[in-house]
Amino acid sequence: MKTAHNKKWGDVIFRGITLAFALGILALFAAIVGNLWHESLPSIHKFGFSFLTSDAWNPVKDDFGAYIAIVGTLVSTLLAMLIAVPISIGVALFLAELAPEWMKAPFGTAIELLAAIPSIVYGMWRLFVLAPLMSDHVQPWLAEHFGFLPFFTGPAMGIGMLTAGLVLALMILPFIASVTRDVFLMVPQNLKEAAYGMGCTTWEVVRDIMIPYGKKGIAGAVFLGMGRALGETMAITFVIGNAYHLSWSLFAPGTSIASALANEFTEADSDIYLSSLVELGLVLFLITFIVLGIAQLWLKRGNQGGGR
Amino acid sequence: MIRRQRRILVNRIILGLSGAAATLGLVMLTWILGDVALRGLQAVNWTFFTELPTPPGMEGGGLANAIVGTLLMTVAATCMSVPFGVLAGTWLSEFGRDSKLGGVIRYFSDIMVSAPSIVIGVFVYVVMVRPMGHFSGWAGAVSLAIIMLPVVSRTTEEMLKLVPHELREAALALGAPYWKIMPQVIYKAAAAGMATGIMLAVARVAGETAPLLFTAMNSPYWMESMNEPMANLTVALFNYAMSPYDDWQTKAWGAAFLITMAVLFATILTRLILHKRSSH
């Protein structure tokens, strides 16, 4: 009787302890949001909603607004997505369906290794290898041929939005590609075989069977990559130029929320300056929360089959 | 027939484009790794591992304190996040598998896996660095641990789910209580997978810079305890790469080489373990 009693209580305690730690993850999440909110209060009280729409960033006069940093974050992410999404879907198709069997393993490993390289290494490589290449060759070429567009004007310094977008694209490309490949691999073999049996070419199977079947999952992968790009710090901080003004030109230096935090956080000398930076962090956290939340919903639904 | 030829042509074009995209990925990998290896190897020598950094502008010296600092903080972060993550993952797999609460916890941890790491740094600055009044190795370790935690708990959960239900039933039939079955049967059965998850989490934080910028900061000296600003490879890399000195920039490549090799080694090792398991 006694041992049975002990056994029961042992299990209850075990279950309670594991539950406490599982809830600890939720508590941690709440603590992050709560503390950031509390710390932003001075800035929220002082600037109110106009914090989001003001383009001021003046540490001397203690006047701060997030507009430029938010736009910088969104523009660099958008650029990155425009470049990365088509290429990474191509890579995923190649890895999942088109490549000959003997090529799948080495290419797949290469893509996964690319995804594992720390972002600071990407950032540094861009600064020393790619930025000179951009300023000497790519940007002058763009300016010469597309200079009538406002995006490609101004001095070619090699740093700035375009370079930042390219770094981000290169960083999230392997990430989106490997998740998309997994989505494609989940398409049932018999569906594909039925289509091949009717005489479809590989591309027709991809277009009419695999992409419709996995579209939710693909969208999830894209949003996951976008979440990464939004919050990426080190790869951008090196090359974005860190300047607080808006310009139509993609050659011009700009700033993003993450790079502003990385550059200025330890230099903040007044309470309101620090509070404004924390509020920037909170804004970034909320934006990525929404994007990643959508990604998780779609990936989950994609996994549950059907994909319709 | 023309229609058929067109279909085949379109197919070839798409095949070619997607092959080109994959080749581009491979080229980028070789390009980046090649640059990191070529430039990094110039910096990596005996003094790089054994000596302290020199004052700005002076040649020579090494990054010994940063190497030790990164190792110490990573180990401390692992010690904090692994028990936490394994227990949380245990609940998710064993007790909360189909519950609503389990779904909610899973959802939030998946979001935290990809949450911007610099925001974690801001959080730790607010709750640890400012109350304590100084940057410290502990604060750096805590922010790394927060980043590791969801990775560890989610992979633990996935690996425990792979253990067949019959194993639990067999042990229960012998009269063993659940809290004894878990460590003696289930964790043992899932050990390789759980170790892989932990290694993935370590590989993830070993290259993290953003959360260390304003928690551990950096330091040119040997640390006397974890309770002071602590040198680490990634922040040193950042500072050195942004510096105007050639010698420091070379050292930054050396640091990049070390970090990249460590991370890639861990990634390849985990792949090998997983591959071996799945081919059984």
Side-chain angles (χ1 to χ4, degrees):
Chain A
M1 232 5 237
K2 200 173 169 232
T3 49
H5 189 71
N6 281 346
K7 204 162 93 181
K8 197 179 140 224
W9 279 108
D11 278 356
V12 168
I13 292 169
F14 180 68
R15 193 183 172 137
I17 291 175
T18 56
L19 175 62
F21 279 99
L23 288 174
I25 294 182
L26 286 189
L28 189 64
F29 194 90
I32 292 174
V33 178
N35 270 296
L36 292 183
W37 171 259
H38 182 254
E39 216 47 42
S40 325
L41 278 179
S43 156
I44 293 172
H45 282 314
K46 185 165 178 201
F47 303 114
F49 191 71
S50 68
F51 184 75
L52 297 179
T53 54
S54 151
D55 60 359
W57 192 268
N58 192 338
V60 183
K61 288 184 184 160
D62 275 344
D63 186 14
F64 299 103
Y67 184 67
I68 292 179
I70 293 177
V71 170
T73 303
L74 296 182
V75 168
S76 57
T77 303
L78 186 73
L79 270 178
M81 301 308 288
L82 284 178
I83 303 167
V85 170
I87 301 182
S88 51
I89 289 181
V91 172
L93 278 180
F94 186 78
L95 293 177
E97 190 67 18
L98 311 178
E101 214 47 55
W102 60 271
M103 279 168 90
K104 282 184 184 168
F107 271 84
T109 314
I111 296 296
E112 274 168 36
L113 290 184
L114 263 178
I117 295 176
S119 63
I120 188 162
V121 175
Y122 275 106
M124 181 176 169
W125 181 75
R126 279 288 151 135
L127 179 69
F128 287 122
V129 180
L130 215 91
L133 210 67
M134 292 290 289
S135 66
D136 294 346
H137 301 290
V138 180
Q139 289 183 344
W141 185 85
L142 280 173
E144 198 185 316
H145 293 86
F146 299 96
F148 54 89
L149 294 169
F151 307 122
F152 302 119
T153 51
M157 292 184 290
I159 55 174
M161 276 297 167
L162 189 64
T163 317
L166 271 176
V167 194
L168 280 182
L170 185 63
M171 278 203 54
I172 56 175
L173 197 155
F175 190 72
I176 302 179
S178 60
V179 182
T180 311
R181 179 196 57 179
D182 293 343
V183 171
F184 281 144
L185 287 178
M186 271 185 309
V187 178
Q189 197 62 33
N190 51 7
L191 265 184
K192 286 189 282 185
E193 274 163 13
Y196 281 124
M198 285 170 63
C200 287
T201 61
T202 313
W203 164 239
E204 283 161 352
V205 173
V206 167
R207 187 190 58 192
D208 297 332
I209 308 289
M210 293 173 68
I211 290 181
Y213 188 92
K215 62 176 185 254
K216 274 267 163 62
I218 299 169
V222 168
F223 270 70
L224 215 55
M226 198 161 131
R228 284 269 158 119
L230 285 168
E232 177 47 46
T233 315
M234 300 322 294
I236 282 204
T237 308
F238 277 115
V239 290
I240 199 165
N242 208 40
Y244 279 95
H245 61 82
L246 282 180
S247 163
W248 279 107
S249 171
L250 296 176
F251 295 171
T255 194
S256 81
I257 299 180
S259 70
L261 285 172
N263 278 317
E264 296 176 39
F265 203 81
T266 47
E267 288 164 14
D269 44 8
S270 69
D271 284 345
I272 191 78
Y273 192 0
L274 191 72
S275 174
S276 303
L277 283 170
V278 176
E279 192 177 349
L280 270 186
L282 183 67
V283 170
L284 176 65
F285 196 68
L286 294 180
I287 297 177
T288 46
F289 179 80
I290 294 166
V291 169
L292 293 172
I294 296 173
Q296 293 305 336
L297 278 182
W298 279 346
L299 275 178
K300 215 187 240 165
R301 244 176 256 165
N303 285 351
Q304 276 160 5
R308 256 157 294 164
Chain B
M1 259 312 147
I2 287 174
R3 194 176 139 77
R4 186 178 145 69
Q5 275 162 358
R6 208 185 66 206
R7 284 172 57 204
I8 291 176
L9 186 68
V10 168
N11 188 43
R12 289 232 174 98
I13 291 173
I14 302 280
L15 274 170
L17 283 178
S18 115
T23 314
L24 183 73
L26 209 61
V27 168
M28 291 319 274
L29 180 74
T30 355
W31 190 2
I32 294 177
L33 286 186
D35 268 341
V36 169
L38 282 180
R39 301 195 188 199
L41 280 173
Q42 291 172 4
V44 177
N45 52 33
W46 184 245
T47 51
F48 184 82
F49 290 99
T50 52
E51 283 182 24
L52 285 179
T54 47
M58 243 169 79
E59 302 246 329
L63 284 171
N65 58 343
I67 296 171
V68 176
T70 292
L71 286 176
L72 275 180
M73 278 192 287
T74 312
V75 170
T78 312
C79 294
M80 283 185 253
S81 62
V82 165
F84 196 140
V86 165
L87 284 170
T90 304
W91 186 84
L92 285 172
S93 151
E94 305 299 313
F95 305 115
R97 204 174 279 199
D98 298 314
S99 71
K100 249 211 175 106
L101 181 63
V104 172
I105 295 176
R106 224 165 270 136
Y107 186 73
F108 279 94
S109 7
D110 281 344
I111 288 178
M112 268 171 79
V113 168
S114 313
S117 55
I118 192 151
V119 176
I120 308 288
V122 173
F123 167 68
V124 173
Y125 178 87
V126 167
V127 296
M128 271 185 85
V129 175
R130 217 175 37 179
M132 285 161 66
H134 56 86
F135 300 103
S136 73
W138 284 119
V142 167
S143 46
L144 294 185
I146 295 176
I147 296 166
M148 285 178 77
L149 174 63
V151 184
V152 175
S153 81
R154 289 292 274 137
T155 38
T156 302
E157 181 197 352
E158 295 303 325
M159 292 305 151
L160 292 181
K161 275 181 177 168
L162 289 181
V163 177
H165 216 73
E166 289 77 9
L167 216 58
R168 295 178 177 85
E169 283 163 6
L172 281 171
L174 288 172
Y178 222 93
W179 59 273
K180 269 192 184 159
I181 296 175
M182 280 318 291
Q184 290 179 3
V185 180
I186 313 293
Y187 287 158
K188 258 187 198 162
M194 283 160 71
T196 315
I198 293 166
M199 213 143 69
L200 271 180
V202 171
R204 169 93 209 273
V205 295
E208 278 290 356
T209 318
L212 297 178
L213 283 174
F214 24 86
T215 52
M217 262 276 261
N218 199 359
S219 143
Y221 312 112
W222 279 112
M223 61 289 305
E224 289 180 352
S225 75
M226 294 270 288
N227 205 14
E228 55 186 79
M230 205 147 139
N232 57 85
L233 271 177
T234 41
V235 178
L237 193 174
F238 182 58
N239 292 340
Y240 277 24
M242 296 295 245
S243 79
Y245 311 113
D246 281 345
D247 188 50
W248 274 19
Q249 292 184 355
T250 315
K251 290 221 170 51
W253 282 103
F257 177 72
L258 270 193
I259 299 166
T260 312
M261 287 307 128
V263 170
L264 291 190
F265 178 73
T267 313
I268 292 174
L269 203 63
T270 49
R271 276 183 60 89
L272 286 180
I273 295 175
L274 285 180
H275 189 71
K276 210 171 141 199
R277 273 170 57 85
S278 62
S279 64
H280 271 320

